[in-house]
Amino acid sequence: MIKKLYLLLFLFIFTYITIVYSQGNTPLVINYKRSEYNALSQNWAVAFDNNGIAYFGNSGGLLEFDGKEWKLHPHISKSAIRSLYFDKNSKRLYSGCFEDFGYWERDQFGELIYTSLTKDLDFSFSEERIWSIKPYHEEILFQSFSALFSYNKVTHVVKSIPINGEIFFLNSFNKELYLQEKNNGIVKYNYESLSIINDSKLAKKATIRFIIPFYNDIILGDGKSGLYKFKDNKISYWDCEVNQYLSTTDVNCAVQIDSAKLAIGTLQNGVFIINKQGEILNHFNKQSKLENNTVLGIGIDHTKNLWLAMDNGISFVDLHPSVEYKIDLENAPSAIYSVIKHKGHIYVGTNNGVLFSKFNKELTKLDFKNLKPLAGIPGHIWKLDVLNDDLLCGNNDGLYLIEQNKATAISKSSGGTDFITINSNFNNWLIESTYNNIRVNKRVDNKWQFSHFVDGFYASCRFIEMDHTGYLWLSHEIKGLTRLKLSDDLKKVISRKEFGTPSGLPTDYGLNVFKISNQVIVTTGEDIYTFDYLNDKMVPYNKLNNSLGRFKKAVRIVSVDNSHFWAITDNEAAYIENKLDSITIKHTLTLNEPYSFPDKYQNISITNNSSVLCLENGVAIIPNEPLKNSQYLPLSISSVINKIAGVNESSIKLPVNTDDVIKVKNKYNSFSFTIRTVNFGPNKINFQYRIKNFNDEWIDSKSDNFHHLNNIPSGEYIYEARAIYSNGTASNIVEYKFEVLPKWYASKQGITIIFLIISGSITFLILFNKRIIRLQTSEIEEKHQKKHKQDKLTIEQLKNDVLEKELENLQEKLTISANSLVEKDKSINKIKDELNKIYKKLEGRFPQKDYKKVLDVIESQMNKKRDILDFEQHFRASQSGFYEKLKKEYPDLSPTDLRLCSLLKMNMTSKEISVILGITTRSVEVSRYRLRKKMNLNPEDNLSDIIMSF
């Protein structure tokens, strides 16, 4: 018995090791901890909506994830969400928890709103937890262990379904619904009734966690004993490989990946992926890649990849990654710098020598256990490369030639960091950069032989390149960039120049020199630079910088061929196509934990059809041409916020799903758009946006999927956005139409109102002014008539008195008339000035024809000639003989001078005179000066007193 137990244990261990390490195309696993998704540890269920967004039933509520952002929606009762189901037709996400079930639905602003279906129940629903939710035609069924409820989507009626004892999980397939009644067996649901279809001992006593179609069978999962086949309502044990392990792992859930693969989640040993024969394809648990072994929920997303709701965290399993990771913590070196296949062997450059083995297979078949050290090349390996069909290796000791499993030194001492070949003077030369100087090797009899050191350069460098003009470029990690011109025999330096901030570079440190398409470029960690031969300085390489986005910050460039290269940052790599007229990012790779480049030694080795990223404890193998069958769901707008610029308290949510033009007030002229497309893989997505009618050029987003638009002027616009995926393809373009309304006074209604106000004001002032003059004149005439009647009786006696009184009346009338003219002109000028100010403020939006119409009305009231003639008529009547006396005393006075004298006679100021005459005050003063000269007055003479004396 003991021997059998040991034998079983040995078979278990052997099979386990085979499962973990023997798979050629190992899926990628990404684990999410509670610190990343900011919710509680336990996750119970998984569901996906029509847009591919993932939802998890979390102990803290409903957890939402689109591949970029996590968002927790707590339940109103703060209960754990135990079950989920998304209905594609109604676009509702149904959920169940403690003493409640209902659905989540997005409102017009894109927010998830919860509606409970239990608030109007007329039956008891206490101490119940909903463990599964399944559809049945127009119904949605909710199951707890002691109750079953149905919700009719058409009638919106919730009913309690009678059951017999304890029930277990709902299972839906082929439009039928099954569940297990404890002690009764497997039952079938049919519109509020349950009928037993299998009452075998297993069906009554087992804990059936799922019933699922797979290939041509129906598979039943028992929590304690494993998998069974369910055919013709009969249950039979499935004798397959995976059942050897499931009987001790507590089977919990399952999901069909495709017609040939099934994923089974357990409570004690992670998840198993099996084929239609029940053979294990993959097994993930805590000992391999998962955070823990307890899988509470399982689901398949739109890309047919696997999601696990775990007892502690969430795991994503990329079942068919475009990148093949070969990581071996036990056998692979801690840092890999180069991987080369050469003449039936594979060679791996590491931080401690070269490893090798015979190898004629694809790199995906690489097994680090088969590698062994290559004798004779100890220490740090700087470079492995094939030149002239020779495999060369630069390391701490110098330069080596590797043939089969032997290493021969070409040149030793002071290390070999980089090397290139050139043709000069009909010879083939190999130039090396080292820790101390530059070594030159010559091709003799088809072999490399050390020739000489270059005289005139004594320093270390990391990378070396030669440009098309024959200049040698060397970069040092700390000391910067140097350009050398060598003599024709390559023996000495004839010119040398250092490049840094004085020559146009943004820094003197962290510079690396490379060459793509026969052009020397320099990476700075910010922008990529190249050399301007005309101006003899470094300049930004705008062709690359404008096209590479974040990859312009590359620290390493690896050329693939004349039209392709890799750009590598600290944790990303981009495969780029370089044409004369365009730069295109073909695809990208983002390294996530636990994968990373060796510190400061990012490198890619190039093979025929793929590229090998050198990592810590392994490699990543990427096809040079991106996969064409990548599945990306449409881009959508998830949130639109409108606010007053700079005032956060003014934020207003706008509808997201509308074809109408959204109109906002002029002061609310700032917008924030959030867009998203589901991306669950490790590769990053770039977002671009533009504002049609404002800026039609696509703008690379600096804040990923969150775009701010500030101080948008009035007008109609269309916001457009798109995503650029890692394979270089673009998503659909989403658009949002909006209009920023003009300020009220610039609108058509505002202009009309202003016109009516101005027109009304002008009309009122004109009529009011005429009424005042008419009333004043009427009063004077009335007084005159009364006085005339009184004086008629004694006209002879009081003739002289009457004449004097008439003169006084005429003078009074003259004064009133003059004052009225001044006041009228002031009022009209004020109206005219206000009209001009408003016209200028509206910047031409006041219709010009209306403006001229109002202006003509005003000008018609400012008839200076008529006003002056009226004044002079009154003046002659009241000041009889004034002009004659003045003309007699001063014969040189002109009619204009006489008119000025009449106004001075009325004791008017220069300002009042200027209003009546329609000239400036300065012109009045000039006229007074000329009048004094004509009258030959002395400086001490008072002009007004002299005029008043006449």
Side-chain angles (χ1 to χ4, degrees), residues 812-838:
E812 183 180 357
K813 184 177 180 180
L814 176 63
T815 303
I816 293 171
S817 177
N819 290 336
S820 297
L821 287 173
V822 172
E823 291 303 316
K824 184 190 77 169
D825 286 346
K826 285 182 179 179
S827 298
I828 293 176
N829 280 326
K830 187 174 181 180
I831 293 170
K832 186 177 179 182
D833 290 341
E834 288 300 316
L835 178 62
N836 287 329
K837 288 180 182 179
I838 293 174

PDB file of all heavy atoms in Angstrom, residues 812-838:
ATOM      1  N   GLU A 812     -35.448 136.780 -23.079  1.00  0.00           N
ATOM      2  CA  GLU A 812     -35.665 135.528 -22.340  1.00  0.00           C
ATOM      3  C   GLU A 812     -35.847 134.355 -23.297  1.00  0.00           C
ATOM      4  O   GLU A 812     -35.306 133.253 -23.106  1.00  0.00           O
ATOM      5  CB  GLU A 812     -36.882 135.675 -21.434  1.00  0.00           C
ATOM      6  CG  GLU A 812     -37.145 134.427 -20.575  1.00  0.00           C
ATOM      7  CD  GLU A 812     -38.357 134.606 -19.681  1.00  0.00           C
ATOM      8  OE1 GLU A 812     -38.958 135.687 -19.680  1.00  0.00           O
ATOM      9  OE2 GLU A 812     -38.694 133.634 -18.982  1.00  0.00           O
ATOM     10  N   LYS A 813     -36.616 134.594 -24.340  1.00  0.00           N
ATOM     11  CA  LYS A 813     -36.840 133.551 -25.339  1.00  0.00           C
ATOM     12  C   LYS A 813     -35.532 133.165 -26.019  1.00  0.00           C
ATOM     13  O   LYS A 813     -35.268 131.988 -26.295  1.00  0.00           O
ATOM     14  CB  LYS A 813     -37.837 134.050 -26.364  1.00  0.00           C
ATOM     15  CG  LYS A 813     -38.227 133.017 -27.424  1.00  0.00           C
ATOM     16  CD  LYS A 813     -39.279 133.585 -28.345  1.00  0.00           C
ATOM     17  CE  LYS A 813     -39.661 132.552 -29.399  1.00  0.00           C
ATOM     18  NZ  LYS A 813     -40.703 133.068 -30.322  1.00  0.00           N
ATOM     19  N   LEU A 814     -34.724 134.214 -26.289  1.00  0.00           N
ATOM     20  CA  LEU A 814     -33.428 133.954 -26.899  1.00  0.00           C
ATOM     21  C   LEU A 814     -32.562 133.086 -25.993  1.00  0.00           C
ATOM     22  O   LEU A 814     -31.903 132.150 -26.438  1.00  0.00           O
ATOM     23  CB  LEU A 814     -32.732 135.293 -27.203  1.00  0.00           C
ATOM     24  CG  LEU A 814     -31.311 135.188 -27.759  1.00  0.00           C
ATOM     25  CD1 LEU A 814     -31.348 134.483 -29.118  1.00  0.00           C
ATOM     26  CD2 LEU A 814     -30.701 136.579 -27.898  1.00  0.00           C
ATOM     27  N   THR A 815     -32.574 133.399 -24.692  1.00  0.00           N
ATOM     28  CA  THR A 815     -31.772 132.622 -23.729  1.00  0.00           C
ATOM     29  C   THR A 815     -32.241 131.169 -23.663  1.00  0.00           C
ATOM     30  O   THR A 815     -31.446 130.223 -23.683  1.00  0.00           O
ATOM     31  CB  THR A 815     -31.862 133.271 -22.330  1.00  0.00           C
ATOM     32  OG1 THR A 815     -31.410 134.623 -22.437  1.00  0.00           O
ATOM     33  CG2 THR A 815     -31.006 132.508 -21.331  1.00  0.00           C
ATOM     34  N   ILE A 816     -33.568 131.013 -23.585  1.00  0.00           N
ATOM     35  CA  ILE A 816     -34.120 129.639 -23.515  1.00  0.00           C
ATOM     36  C   ILE A 816     -33.787 128.860 -24.788  1.00  0.00           C
ATOM     37  O   ILE A 816     -33.389 127.693 -24.754  1.00  0.00           O
ATOM     38  CB  ILE A 816     -35.643 129.694 -23.292  1.00  0.00           C
ATOM     39  CG1 ILE A 816     -35.947 130.259 -21.904  1.00  0.00           C
ATOM     40  CG2 ILE A 816     -36.264 128.300 -23.460  1.00  0.00           C
ATOM     41  CD1 ILE A 816     -37.415 130.553 -21.662  1.00  0.00           C
ATOM     42  N   SER A 817     -33.938 129.545 -25.920  1.00  0.00           N
ATOM     43  CA  SER A 817     -33.643 128.885 -27.183  1.00  0.00           C
ATOM     44  C   SER A 817     -32.189 128.460 -27.263  1.00  0.00           C
ATOM     45  O   SER A 817     -31.862 127.356 -27.697  1.00  0.00           O
ATOM     46  CB  SER A 817     -33.997 129.831 -28.334  1.00  0.00           C
ATOM     47  OG  SER A 817     -33.658 129.247 -29.576  1.00  0.00           O
ATOM     48  N   ALA A 818     -31.305 129.371 -26.836  1.00  0.00           N
ATOM     49  CA  ALA A 818     -29.862 129.046 -26.874  1.00  0.00           C
ATOM     50  C   ALA A 818     -29.549 127.869 -25.960  1.00  0.00           C
ATOM     51  O   ALA A 818     -28.805 126.941 -26.312  1.00  0.00           O
ATOM     52  CB  ALA A 818     -29.043 130.282 -26.489  1.00  0.00           C
ATOM     53  N   ASN A 819     -30.107 127.933 -24.745  1.00  0.00           N
ATOM     54  CA  ASN A 819     -29.862 126.827 -23.789  1.00  0.00           C
ATOM     55  C   ASN A 819     -30.443 125.513 -24.306  1.00  0.00           C
ATOM     56  O   ASN A 819     -29.836 124.435 -24.143  1.00  0.00           O
ATOM     57  CB  ASN A 819     -30.451 127.157 -22.422  1.00  0.00           C
ATOM     58  CG  ASN A 819     -29.687 128.271 -21.725  1.00  0.00           C
ATOM     59  OD1 ASN A 819     -28.503 128.488 -22.027  1.00  0.00           O
ATOM     60  ND2 ASN A 819     -30.333 128.981 -20.832  1.00  0.00           N
ATOM     61  N   SER A 820     -31.600 125.595 -24.921  1.00  0.00           N
ATOM     62  CA  SER A 820     -32.214 124.374 -25.459  1.00  0.00           C
ATOM     63  C   SER A 820     -31.359 123.764 -26.551  1.00  0.00           C
ATOM     64  O   SER A 820     -31.210 122.549 -26.652  1.00  0.00           O
ATOM     65  CB  SER A 820     -33.620 124.696 -25.996  1.00  0.00           C
ATOM     66  OG  SER A 820     -34.462 125.135 -24.963  1.00  0.00           O
ATOM     67  N   LEU A 821     -30.800 124.651 -27.410  1.00  0.00           N
ATOM     68  CA  LEU A 821     -29.923 124.151 -28.466  1.00  0.00           C
ATOM     69  C   LEU A 821     -28.721 123.422 -27.883  1.00  0.00           C
ATOM     70  O   LEU A 821     -28.304 122.364 -28.367  1.00  0.00           O
ATOM     71  CB  LEU A 821     -29.465 125.314 -29.358  1.00  0.00           C
ATOM     72  CG  LEU A 821     -30.522 125.905 -30.297  1.00  0.00           C
ATOM     73  CD1 LEU A 821     -29.965 127.146 -30.979  1.00  0.00           C
ATOM     74  CD2 LEU A 821     -30.962 124.882 -31.318  1.00  0.00           C
ATOM     75  N   VAL A 822     -28.139 124.023 -26.838  1.00  0.00           N
ATOM     76  CA  VAL A 822     -26.960 123.395 -26.207  1.00  0.00           C
ATOM     77  C   VAL A 822     -27.334 122.047 -25.613  1.00  0.00           C
ATOM     78  O   VAL A 822     -26.638 121.031 -25.820  1.00  0.00           O
ATOM     79  CB  VAL A 822     -26.362 124.327 -25.135  1.00  0.00           C
ATOM     80  CG1 VAL A 822     -25.271 123.600 -24.348  1.00  0.00           C
ATOM     81  CG2 VAL A 822     -25.810 125.590 -25.770  1.00  0.00           C
ATOM     82  N   GLU A 823     -28.423 122.005 -24.864  1.00  0.00           N
ATOM     83  CA  GLU A 823     -28.817 120.760 -24.216  1.00  0.00           C
ATOM     84  C   GLU A 823     -29.196 119.691 -25.246  1.00  0.00           C
ATOM     85  O   GLU A 823     -28.883 118.512 -25.095  1.00  0.00           O
ATOM     86  CB  GLU A 823     -29.989 121.002 -23.268  1.00  0.00           C
ATOM     87  CG  GLU A 823     -29.640 121.824 -22.031  1.00  0.00           C
ATOM     88  CD  GLU A 823     -28.519 121.164 -21.247  1.00  0.00           C
ATOM     89  OE1 GLU A 823     -28.572 119.935 -21.068  1.00  0.00           O
ATOM     90  OE2 GLU A 823     -27.588 121.873 -20.845  1.00  0.00           O
ATOM     91  N   LYS A 824     -29.892 120.122 -26.301  1.00  0.00           N
ATOM     92  CA  LYS A 824     -30.278 119.153 -27.329  1.00  0.00           C
ATOM     93  C   LYS A 824     -29.038 118.539 -27.991  1.00  0.00           C
ATOM     94  O   LYS A 824     -28.933 117.330 -28.183  1.00  0.00           O
ATOM     95  CB  LYS A 824     -31.156 119.835 -28.377  1.00  0.00           C
ATOM     96  CG  LYS A 824     -31.684 118.844 -29.447  1.00  0.00           C
ATOM     97  CD  LYS A 824     -32.339 119.549 -30.579  1.00  0.00           C
ATOM     98  CE  LYS A 824     -31.299 120.154 -31.502  1.00  0.00           C
ATOM     99  NZ  LYS A 824     -31.842 120.643 -32.769  1.00  0.00           N
ATOM    100  N   ASP A 825     -28.058 119.399 -28.345  1.00  0.00           N
ATOM    101  CA  ASP A 825     -26.854 118.910 -29.005  1.00  0.00           C
ATOM    102  C   ASP A 825     -26.062 117.974 -28.095  1.00  0.00           C
ATOM    103  O   ASP A 825     -25.487 116.968 -28.528  1.00  0.00           O
ATOM    104  CB  ASP A 825     -25.974 120.074 -29.441  1.00  0.00           C
ATOM    105  CG  ASP A 825     -26.551 120.776 -30.658  1.00  0.00           C
ATOM    106  OD1 ASP A 825     -27.461 120.192 -31.296  1.00  0.00           O
ATOM    107  OD2 ASP A 825     -26.102 121.880 -30.979  1.00  0.00           O
ATOM    108  N   LYS A 826     -26.019 118.335 -26.796  1.00  0.00           N
ATOM    109  CA  LYS A 826     -25.314 117.437 -25.846  1.00  0.00           C
ATOM    110  C   LYS A 826     -25.972 116.058 -25.816  1.00  0.00           C
ATOM    111  O   LYS A 826     -25.306 115.020 -25.830  1.00  0.00           O
ATOM    112  CB  LYS A 826     -25.298 118.049 -24.451  1.00  0.00           C
ATOM    113  CG  LYS A 826     -24.319 119.205 -24.284  1.00  0.00           C
ATOM    114  CD  LYS A 826     -24.348 119.699 -22.842  1.00  0.00           C
ATOM    115  CE  LYS A 826     -23.350 120.854 -22.637  1.00  0.00           C
ATOM    116  NZ  LYS A 826     -23.388 121.347 -21.256  1.00  0.00           N
ATOM    117  N   SER A 827     -27.295 116.046 -25.711  1.00  0.00           N
ATOM    118  CA  SER A 827     -28.015 114.762 -25.620  1.00  0.00           C
ATOM    119  C   SER A 827     -27.812 113.929 -26.876  1.00  0.00           C
ATOM    120  O   SER A 827     -27.526 112.721 -26.817  1.00  0.00           O
ATOM    121  CB  SER A 827     -29.510 115.021 -25.393  1.00  0.00           C
ATOM    122  OG  SER A 827     -29.712 115.708 -24.181  1.00  0.00           O
ATOM    123  N   ILE A 828     -27.941 114.575 -28.026  1.00  0.00           N
ATOM    124  CA  ILE A 828     -27.808 113.825 -29.290  1.00  0.00           C
ATOM    125  C   ILE A 828     -26.382 113.317 -29.465  1.00  0.00           C
ATOM    126  O   ILE A 828     -26.144 112.190 -29.909  1.00  0.00           O
ATOM    127  CB  ILE A 828     -28.244 114.709 -30.467  1.00  0.00           C
ATOM    128  CG1 ILE A 828     -29.751 114.979 -30.369  1.00  0.00           C
ATOM    129  CG2 ILE A 828     -27.909 114.044 -31.796  1.00  0.00           C
ATOM    130  CD1 ILE A 828     -30.300 115.914 -31.421  1.00  0.00           C
ATOM    131  N   ASN A 829     -25.381 114.167 -29.118  1.00  0.00           N
ATOM    132  CA  ASN A 829     -23.981 113.724 -29.216  1.00  0.00           C
ATOM    133  C   ASN A 829     -23.720 112.537 -28.293  1.00  0.00           C
ATOM    134  O   ASN A 829     -22.964 111.628 -28.614  1.00  0.00           O
ATOM    135  CB  ASN A 829     -23.033 114.875 -28.884  1.00  0.00           C
ATOM    136  CG  ASN A 829     -22.847 115.819 -30.062  1.00  0.00           C
ATOM    137  OD1 ASN A 829     -22.857 115.375 -31.209  1.00  0.00           O
ATOM    138  ND2 ASN A 829     -22.711 117.102 -29.807  1.00  0.00           N
ATOM    139  N   LYS A 830     -24.317 112.597 -27.095  1.00  0.00           N
ATOM    140  CA  LYS A 830     -24.136 111.482 -26.147  1.00  0.00           C
ATOM    141  C   LYS A 830     -24.726 110.189 -26.706  1.00  0.00           C
ATOM    142  O   LYS A 830     -24.127 109.109 -26.631  1.00  0.00           O
ATOM    143  CB  LYS A 830     -24.785 111.819 -24.812  1.00  0.00           C
ATOM    144  CG  LYS A 830     -24.499 110.784 -23.730  1.00  0.00           C
ATOM    145  CD  LYS A 830     -25.048 111.234 -22.392  1.00  0.00           C
ATOM    146  CE  LYS A 830     -24.723 110.201 -21.309  1.00  0.00           C
ATOM    147  NZ  LYS A 830     -25.242 110.609 -19.999  1.00  0.00           N
ATOM    148  N   ILE A 831     -25.904 110.299 -27.292  1.00  0.00           N
ATOM    149  CA  ILE A 831     -26.528 109.119 -27.912  1.00  0.00           C
ATOM    150  C   ILE A 831     -25.651 108.596 -29.042  1.00  0.00           C
ATOM    151  O   ILE A 831     -25.427 107.390 -29.206  1.00  0.00           O
ATOM    152  CB  ILE A 831     -27.926 109.471 -28.442  1.00  0.00           C
ATOM    153  CG1 ILE A 831     -28.864 109.780 -27.251  1.00  0.00           C
ATOM    154  CG2 ILE A 831     -28.499 108.333 -29.294  1.00  0.00           C
ATOM    155  CD1 ILE A 831     -30.188 110.378 -27.653  1.00  0.00           C
ATOM    156  N   LYS A 832     -25.130 109.527 -29.858  1.00  0.00           N
ATOM    157  CA  LYS A 832     -24.280 109.130 -30.978  1.00  0.00           C
ATOM    158  C   LYS A 832     -23.020 108.426 -30.489  1.00  0.00           C
ATOM    159  O   LYS A 832     -22.602 107.405 -31.053  1.00  0.00           O
ATOM    160  CB  LYS A 832     -23.913 110.382 -31.785  1.00  0.00           C
ATOM    161  CG  LYS A 832     -23.139 110.070 -33.078  1.00  0.00           C
ATOM    162  CD  LYS A 832     -22.888 111.347 -33.855  1.00  0.00           C
ATOM    163  CE  LYS A 832     -22.098 111.053 -35.124  1.00  0.00           C
ATOM    164  NZ  LYS A 832     -21.812 112.288 -35.875  1.00  0.00           N
ATOM    165  N   ASP A 833     -22.403 108.959 -29.419  1.00  0.00           N
ATOM    166  CA  ASP A 833     -21.188 108.324 -28.867  1.00  0.00           C
ATOM    167  C   ASP A 833     -21.492 106.915 -28.354  1.00  0.00           C
ATOM    168  O   ASP A 833     -20.716 105.976 -28.571  1.00  0.00           O
ATOM    169  CB  ASP A 833     -20.613 109.180 -27.730  1.00  0.00           C
ATOM    170  CG  ASP A 833     -20.011 110.490 -28.251  1.00  0.00           C
ATOM    171  OD1 ASP A 833     -19.734 110.548 -29.464  1.00  0.00           O
ATOM    172  OD2 ASP A 833     -19.823 111.417 -27.433  1.00  0.00           O
ATOM    173  N   GLU A 834     -22.611 106.759 -27.620  1.00  0.00           N
ATOM    174  CA  GLU A 834     -22.970 105.443 -27.094  1.00  0.00           C
ATOM    175  C   GLU A 834     -23.217 104.441 -28.231  1.00  0.00           C
ATOM    176  O   GLU A 834     -22.835 103.282 -28.159  1.00  0.00           O
ATOM    177  CB  GLU A 834     -24.218 105.541 -26.215  1.00  0.00           C
ATOM    178  CG  GLU A 834     -24.002 106.219 -24.882  1.00  0.00           C
ATOM    179  CD  GLU A 834     -22.968 105.484 -24.050  1.00  0.00           C
ATOM    180  OE1 GLU A 834     -23.037 104.241 -24.010  1.00  0.00           O
ATOM    181  OE2 GLU A 834     -22.094 106.131 -23.457  1.00  0.00           O
ATOM    182  N   LEU A 835     -23.864 104.918 -29.310  1.00  0.00           N
ATOM    183  CA  LEU A 835     -24.120 104.048 -30.455  1.00  0.00           C
ATOM    184  C   LEU A 835     -22.808 103.572 -31.069  1.00  0.00           C
ATOM    185  O   LEU A 835     -22.634 102.394 -31.406  1.00  0.00           O
ATOM    186  CB  LEU A 835     -24.945 104.792 -31.489  1.00  0.00           C
ATOM    187  CG  LEU A 835     -25.241 104.002 -32.786  1.00  0.00           C
ATOM    188  CD1 LEU A 835     -26.056 102.757 -32.468  1.00  0.00           C
ATOM    189  CD2 LEU A 835     -25.960 104.878 -33.795  1.00  0.00           C
ATOM    190  N   ASN A 836     -21.830 104.486 -31.220  1.00  0.00           N
ATOM    191  CA  ASN A 836     -20.533 104.122 -31.804  1.00  0.00           C
ATOM    192  C   ASN A 836     -19.797 103.126 -30.921  1.00  0.00           C
ATOM    193  O   ASN A 836     -19.142 102.205 -31.402  1.00  0.00           O
ATOM    194  CB  ASN A 836     -19.677 105.374 -32.024  1.00  0.00           C
ATOM    195  CG  ASN A 836     -20.175 106.214 -33.197  1.00  0.00           C
ATOM    196  OD1 ASN A 836     -20.719 105.659 -34.153  1.00  0.00           O
ATOM    197  ND2 ASN A 836     -20.036 107.517 -33.136  1.00  0.00           N
ATOM    198  N   LYS A 837     -19.881 103.318 -29.593  1.00  0.00           N
ATOM    199  CA  LYS A 837     -19.200 102.369 -28.683  1.00  0.00           C
ATOM    200  C   LYS A 837     -19.779 100.968 -28.836  1.00  0.00           C
ATOM    201  O   LYS A 837     -19.051  99.978 -28.900  1.00  0.00           O
ATOM    202  CB  LYS A 837     -19.341 102.837 -27.230  1.00  0.00           C
ATOM    203  CG  LYS A 837     -18.500 104.051 -26.888  1.00  0.00           C
ATOM    204  CD  LYS A 837     -18.705 104.454 -25.428  1.00  0.00           C
ATOM    205  CE  LYS A 837     -17.909 105.712 -25.064  1.00  0.00           C
ATOM    206  NZ  LYS A 837     -18.132 106.110 -23.664  1.00  0.00           N
ATOM    207  N   ILE A 838     -21.074 100.869 -28.840  1.00  0.00           N
ATOM    208  CA  ILE A 838     -21.718  99.539 -28.962  1.00  0.00           C
ATOM    209  C   ILE A 838     -21.363  98.909 -30.300  1.00  0.00           C
ATOM    210  O   ILE A 838     -21.072  97.723 -30.411  1.00  0.00           O
ATOM    211  CB  ILE A 838     -23.236  99.675 -28.809  1.00  0.00           C
ATOM    212  CG1 ILE A 838     -23.570 100.095 -27.356  1.00  0.00           C
ATOM    213  CG2 ILE A 838     -23.943  98.362 -29.141  1.00  0.00           C
ATOM    214  CD1 ILE A 838     -25.022 100.407 -27.133  1.00  0.00           C
TER     215      ILE A 838
END
